[in-house]
Amino acid sequence: MTITPCYLFPQLPESLAGLAELAVDLRWSWSHTADTLWQHIAPELWEQTRNPWLILQNVGGNTLQQLAQDQDFIAKLNTFVSEHRDRLAQTCWFSKTYPHPPFSQVAYFSMEFGLSESLPIYSGGLGILAGDCLKTASDLGIPLLGIGMLWQQGYFRQSLDDCGRQIELYPYNDPTQMPVTPVRDASSEWLRLELPFPGRKVILRAWQAQVGRVTLYLLDSNDPLNAPADRGITAELYGGGPETRLQQEICLGVGGWMLLRRLGIQPDICHLNEGHAAFAILARAYSHMQDHGTDFPCALTATRAGNIFTTHTPVSAGFDRFPPELLTRYVAGAPRAFGIDVETILALGRENPEDTREPFNMAWLAIHGSLTVNGVSRLHGAVSRRLFQPLFPRWPEDEVPVTHVTNGVHTPSWDSAEADALWTKHCGKARWLGDLKDIEADFRRTSDEDIWQLRSTARQQVIHFARQRLQKQLAAAHAPDQDCEQAKTALDPNTLTIGFARRFAAYKRPNMLLTDPDRLYRLLNNPHCPVQLLIAGKAHPKDGAGKAMIQQWTQFIHQHPDLAGRMVFIADYDMMVAEQLVQGVDLWINTPLRPWEASGTSGMKVLVNGGLNLSELDGWWAEAYSPETGWALGDSQEHDSDPEWNRLEAEQLYRLLEEEVVPLFYHQRDANGCPCGWINKIRESMSRLTSQFSSNRMLQEYVHSLYAPAARLLAARSERATVDGISRWQHDIRQHWQSLHFGELNVQSDTDTHHFQVHVYLDDLDADAVAVQLFANGDGAQDPKIYAMTRGDALSGAINSYNYTCAVPAHCAVERFTPRIIPHRDGCLVPMESTEILWYR
Ligand SMILES: *Cc1c(COP(=O)(O)O)cnc(C)c1O
């Protein structure tokens, strides 16, 4: 749907229409080509907000009239507009790599999207990842769209009272001040959806945000025709009780799918992020029933092939669960509306379908309704296989069908202008737009001087930023004038600067550095090799422990006035603060309790800017760390929340800082004052890790390994007969499995081969519906191995029974092998679609 500038900005003169075109596209949040234009229009507002949309909303008619007369300005504007159009029209990575696209459209569902501070509808990592994903899809030309919610208040904003306690604020997100526009239907009406809720309909309004080539659709319930309570459904992200959360998830999943239908968009891939969006599975299956006249099981079989579930949670407590009675109320209309009985729906959210008291688990629904499931780092993949094991009883944990794609960050959004210039010098302007294979070698040529210059400028800038924020915070907290005056000179541009910013949740252990306050004091206050700290982070409003940890930091700062120039707690951690910190700090510290950090992305954002990481071996760092690129905390093991272990790790953290980090930064300086050892580490970290942990690599991996295969599976199920065949197969397996059994097992060994032979009785099951395998247990040194057994002659005198054989190398002891029977069908995924398994013993 085209956007008419005159509707959005009625006072915009015709010759300035291009401004609306530029402002409406959030591409300005990572491509800074037109920045000078906005700066020219409103220098002060630009400095404060970096938000072209806001500038255009607020600029006065007189200024616009003047600009319309300014031939230079118009010429510049026209150049930017045509550059913008050219760029959008360029052929990109996706169409070059896939001249015959394997899929036509991906719908990326997420509760939150973090694209820019101008659109505050995110809380943390999940949202930032979603935002980075849309930006990257635009860069690479991947046909992807986003589905999310337009939160009226977003996540809370943080300020600190004069005792350093967190105060939560909920400013209203005025849609007219945000870069979103109403979605209009063919007759120019604002598109509204009606969702069936118990006893009423809830109206959702549709909005859109433009992210380069990608569209993000957003829904909100703040329509005057809704009851007041329903208008509040989309008020607070992660606020409210279980029922509100359920309503929000229905709006996202069902509402999101309904919106696509109304727009005539038929995505082949639904990418569901977290269980939050899993109701889209039901809505999609229902549409399939309507379109093809099938029953629900067949519709689910056909459509689930196109659903991909990405889990972002490393602990079972992180999955949303709803009491069955609550869910029942919301799906009670299903038999009429969807032709599905309530129990069928409830069973999809359970581990044990017969247990009617089991809560409804959104992650279980997501798995039961997808064929592809992945975690967000290698370690998180393994952790997720453990968490999801209960859904695949008697299957080895290794074979639980969960893969992983490690997260990445949208590098152009997180690099500083100076870092961008340095990368451009060595790797070219288009470095993040294609494949990434030359980047490492190209960047490694960077000189020590260039790297150190980048770091020194960056440190100065973040200090400038921190001073300004500190002054504002102190003024707001009515601090004495003297303190406000001191804030102007806080921090030092030549001092090792450490950043620590994240959600204050217990598992992140944000107060590890405070374990021994005296030792921290000595570290910061070392006369020859001082250290300064920038800290930021919010605690969830209901997380008392998290808030206490914030206060522990602010009190430490309070109690050591002589450290006032060395430590700043920056309030209201958001994308803007994150951007400043990751661009400026020398070292980024991350102390999660392994394995609670599914991936973590903030540490990836420092890479492109030459910051180094000191992090727990958890999430992404467990696969990124090497001694050449940074520092590792922990021992690669899990220790639960053992206080003794926490103390040992704190000890390790102090020791690393005192004996390795600080000396490397201050010593070994060359004649020009460059710390060579430190710079070598930066060079390794930048050249090896930046592209590897970019969302560019991540999304290419999603396309190759997940989206394209899923689309092929989906296409293979377009025929009714195929789907019926799969359903019958699943049904037969369930019906006959209990009667399957093994007979005699024989093994003969010669010098280098074991010959296995086993009798298998298949009841009434077609022999092609199963596979018989020989499974070799792993031991410490070797992974488990699976060999296919070959079906031989039917056993004489027995019905539907066969001899299966297999020859394997004799270097493993016979005792390690066990025959097993599993369901099998071409084009189907086992155990995802049929979880039975029968072991010989
Ligand atoms: C990147 C980012 C996050 C995610 O960081 P973690 O590594 O998960 O701590 C959270 N909040 C903001 C504002 C971010 O920019």
Side-chain angles (χ1 to χ4, degrees):
M1 247 132 281
T2 51
I3 290 147
T4 39
C6 62
Y7 157 74
L8 293 169
F9 305 103
Q11 49 173 336
L12 202 61
E14 182 67 34
S15 60
L16 297 181
L19 283 176
E21 193 175 327
L22 294 179
V24 82
D25 187 343
L26 277 158
R27 193 165 187 282
W28 50 254
S29 66
W30 75 95
S31 158
H32 297 286
T33 34
D35 283 4
T36 49
L37 204 68
W38 304 109
Q39 196 173 20
H40 181 82
I41 300 175
E44 215 165 302
L45 202 55
W46 173 252
E47 183 59 36
Q48 269 180 37
T49 67
R50 305 271 157 151
N51 180 347
W53 181 270
L54 199 69
I55 288 178
L56 215 49
Q57 287 288 349
N58 289 280
V59 66
N62 287 346
T63 314
L64 289 175
Q65 289 310 329
Q66 274 167 20
L67 290 171
Q69 306 303 321
D70 181 343
Q71 289 313 312
D72 275 358
F73 183 85
I74 300 285
K76 248 197 237 157
L77 172 61
N78 291 340
T79 316
F80 285 132
V81 170
S82 59
E83 267 178 21
H84 182 244
R85 288 180 189 167
D86 287 350
R87 203 168 286 274
L88 292 183
Q90 267 167 16
T91 325
C92 328
W93 171 85
F94 183 73
S95 47
K96 281 186 212 151
T97 313
Y98 292 98
H100 306 287
F103 51 87
S104 60
Q105 186 72 62
V106 179
Y108 187 102
F109 286 76
S110 175
M111 264 298 179
E112 37 172 320
F113 284 88
L115 286 155
S116 151
E117 235 8 87
S118 63
L119 192 53
I121 53 168
Y122 69 93
S123 130
L126 183 69
I128 309 285
L129 182 78
D132 279 4
C133 189
L134 299 191
K135 293 171 180 177
T136 312
S138 170
D139 286 345
L140 299 180
I142 298 166
L144 182 144
L145 57 83
I147 301 271
M149 311 294 275
L150 190 69
W151 302 103
Q152 270 87 71
Q153 298 173 342
Y155 200 54
F156 77 96
R157 316 295 313 225
Q158 177 195 54
S159 88
L160 299 171
D161 71 9
D162 47 7
C163 298
R165 279 178 304 222
Q166 167 171 299
I167 301 173
E168 292 115 28
L169 306 164
Y170 294 87
Y172 172 62
N173 283 340
D174 179 356
T176 66
Q177 301 290 307
M178 298 199 287
V180 294
T181 52
V183 177
R184 300 194 170 267
D185 65 15
S187 53
S188 262
E189 288 277 333
W190 193 351
L191 203 149
R192 287 180 166 84
L193 305 166
E194 285 186 357
L195 242 65
F197 269 49
R200 63 196 191 275
K201 287 200 168 3
V202 168
I203 295 170
L204 295 179
R205 308 185 295 187
W207 302 82
Q208 65 182 42
Q210 206 51 46
V211 187
R213 296 180 180 85
V214 167
T215 304
L216 168 60
Y217 293 100
L218 299 166
L219 297 169
D220 91 315
S221 66
N222 192 14
D223 189 286
L225 289 178
N226 282 332
D230 290 338
R231 292 183 68 173
I233 294 174
T234 56
E236 263 177 64
L237 172 59
Y238 305 137
E243 182 156 4
T244 306
R245 177 67 78 98
L246 177 63
Q247 294 172 335
Q248 293 174 340
E249 296 187 357
I250 293 172
C251 289
L252 177 65
V254 180
W257 179 262
M258 283 168 66
L259 175 66
L260 294 174
R261 294 280 283 190
R262 276 283 291 277
L263 293 170
I265 298 172
Q266 291 189 321
D268 16 26
I269 304 297
C270 283
H271 187 171
L272 311 173
N273 285 278
E274 286 293 42
H276 305 153
F279 288 126
I281 291 165
L282 301 179
R284 183 178 188 176
Y286 175 56
S287 292
H288 190 90
M289 290 164 69
Q290 281 185 317
D291 295 349
H292 298 88
T294 63
D295 61 8
F296 179 71
C298 280
L300 190 62
T301 301
T303 52
R304 74 184 285 198
N307 295 334
I308 294 175
F309 169 44
T310 300
T311 168
H312 299 258
T313 309
V315 285
S316 173
F319 301 138
D320 281 331
R321 290 175 175 81
F322 297 110
E325 313 76 55
L326 177 62
L327 197 78
T328 302
R329 256 194 284 141
Y330 279 83
V331 296
R336 198 164 24 85
F338 295 86
I340 319 164
D341 68 273
V342 171
E343 269 312 306
T344 305
I345 297 178
L346 290 177
L348 288 170
R350 293 198 182 121
E351 186 180 318
N352 175 7
E354 272 92 57
D355 180 358
T356 53
R357 280 163 321 166
E358 191 182 324
F360 187 89
N361 181 324
M362 292 299 284
W364 291 175
L365 170 64
I367 293 180
H368 288 138
S370 307
L371 280 194
T372 310
V373 178
N374 72 294
V376 290
S377 70
R378 191 168 60 209
L379 182 61
H380 181 238
V383 169
S384 301
R385 287 190 283 278
R386 190 168 76 208
L387 293 182
F388 298 156
Q389 216 284 329
L391 295 187
F392 304 93
R394 294 177 303 282
W395 280 85
E397 199 175 290
D398 288 352
E399 292 181 66
V400 170
V402 180
T403 179
H404 76 271
V405 174
T406 303
N407 283 346
V409 294
H410 183 245
T411 321
S413 291
W414 299 103
D415 61 3
S416 66
E418 292 76 14
D420 179 26
L422 185 60
W423 281 89
T424 304
K425 179 169 155 189
H426 293 280
C427 307
K429 197 71 205 163
R431 62 194 175 279
W432 304 121
L433 299 179
D435 77 54
L436 306 164
K437 64 183 191 317
D438 296 329
I439 285 190
E440 176 171 345
D442 289 347
F443 189 81
R444 191 163 272 129
R445 290 196 281 269
T446 317
S447 71
D448 281 12
E449 288 71 26
D450 279 356
I451 291 181
W452 194 235
Q453 184 60 46
L454 170 69
R455 290 306 319 144
S456 306
T457 314
R459 204 179 306 110
Q460 243 164 341
Q461 285 173 352
V462 74
I463 288 172
H464 177 71
F465 169 76
R467 284 174 182 165
Q468 285 192 329
R469 291 291 285 240
L470 182 60
Q471 287 170 58
K472 281 195 191 145
Q473 281 169 221
L474 289 170
H478 310 297
D481 287 348
Q482 187 194 347
D483 291 5
C484 300
E485 199 52 37
Q486 254 182 12
K488 291 183 182 161
T489 55
L491 305 164
D492 170 76
N494 294 311
T495 294
L496 170 61
T497 306
I498 297 180
F500 183 94
R502 50 199 17 90
R503 261 180 319 122
F504 272 60
Y507 81 86
K508 301 253 191 190
R509 299 187 292 184
N511 50 358
M512 187 185 276
L513 269 174
L514 285 168
T515 309
D516 182 347
D518 293 337
R519 198 160 168 185
L520 175 62
Y521 178 87
R522 290 196 299 276
L523 182 77
L524 298 171
N525 215 19
N526 183 326
H528 304 296
C529 306
V531 171
Q532 56 196 9
L533 258 182
L534 298 174
I535 307 154
K538 299 176 179 178
H540 189 279
K542 292 190 181 131
D543 179 5
K547 291 197 218 181
M549 289 189 282
I550 291 178
Q551 213 186 352
Q552 217 184 328
W553 269 114
T554 50
Q555 275 178 353
F556 180 81
I557 297 175
H558 225 76
Q559 286 156 1
H560 297 87
D562 55 329
L563 288 183
R566 289 271 154 75
M567 241 176 10
V568 178
F569 190 104
I570 299 173
D572 202 26
Y573 181 45
D574 63 4
M575 284 183 81
M576 221 254 281
V577 175
E579 199 179 317
Q580 297 287 338
L581 291 181
V582 299
Q583 292 177 0
V585 300
D586 297 296
L587 184 75
W588 193 253
I589 292 188
N590 187 24
T591 52
L593 183 66
R594 181 171 157 135
W596 282 60
E597 184 96 297
S599 164
T601 51
S602 60
M604 301 175 186
K605 299 169 192 163
V606 306
L607 297 170
V608 69
N609 296 299
L612 296 175
N613 280 279
L614 188 175
S615 172
E616 177 73 29
L617 287 170
D618 194 11
W620 78 284
W621 193 239
E623 63 200 86
Y625 165 73
S626 68
E628 295 82 36
T629 52
W631 292 273
L633 200 59
D635 61 355
S636 290
Q637 305 295 320
E638 289 167 27
H639 297 268
D640 294 325
S641 46
D642 173 12
E644 179 55 17
W645 177 256
N646 284 342
R647 213 187 48 72
L648 281 174
E649 270 200 37
E651 172 68 27
Q652 193 193 8
L653 175 58
Y654 289 124
R655 198 193 54 73
L656 280 173
L657 290 170
E658 292 160 353
E659 294 174 16
E660 299 192 24
V661 173
V662 170
L664 194 69
F665 184 86
Y666 284 107
H667 301 150
Q668 290 182 37
R669 298 246 170 163
D670 70 6
N672 297 322
C674 294
C676 306
W678 187 271
I679 291 172
N680 283 339
K681 248 189 157 78
I682 294 180
R683 186 182 290 106
E684 286 309 304
S685 162
M686 288 178 91
S687 51
R688 282 194 213 180
L689 302 181
T690 309
S691 62
Q692 197 187 337
F693 294 94
S694 67
S695 51
N696 194 304
R697 185 274 309 150
M698 170 184 82
L699 213 50
Q700 293 185 12
E701 209 174 313
Y702 271 107
V703 168
H704 291 314
S705 315
L706 270 54
Y707 295 163
R712 265 183 248 122
L713 277 173
L714 182 76
R717 296 180 182 200
S718 58
E719 299 289 328
R720 176 80 179 263
T722 314
V723 176
D724 287 345
I726 295 171
S727 287
R728 248 193 330 271
W729 165 71
Q730 288 173 316
H731 176 264
D732 290 349
I733 293 277
R734 270 197 303 275
Q735 181 150 38
H736 297 292
W737 201 258
Q738 294 308 324
S739 312
L740 255 57
H741 61 275
F742 284 102
E744 203 171 332
L745 172 69
N746 271 307
V747 194
Q748 285 182 349
S749 302
D750 52 37
T751 38
D752 43 33
T753 314
H754 301 308
H755 300 272
F756 281 85
Q757 182 196 34
V758 70
H759 294 168
V760 173
Y761 297 83
L762 292 173
D763 195 40
D764 277 341
L765 207 53
D766 182 350
D768 287 330
V770 300
V772 180
Q773 301 175 327
L774 192 59
F775 176 86
N777 249 328
D779 58 15
Q782 271 182 322
D783 288 339
K785 276 209 170 67
I786 296 161
Y787 302 89
M789 297 192 80
T790 313
R791 186 167 78 226
D793 297 335
L795 300 180
S796 54
I799 314 279
N800 200 24
S801 314
Y802 301 89
N803 195 20
Y804 281 82
T805 58
C806 181
V808 297
H811 54 73
C812 299
V814 167
E815 296 75 50
R816 279 184 48 198
F817 293 93
T818 319
R820 67 183 197 182
I821 311 174
I822 63 167
H824 170 80
R825 186 181 174 87
D826 283 338
C828 290
L829 300 187
V830 170
M832 198 55 112
E833 293 189 85
S834 189
T835 59
E836 278 79 3
I837 186 165
L838 179 68
W839 296 88
Y840 176 76
R841 60 178 150 83

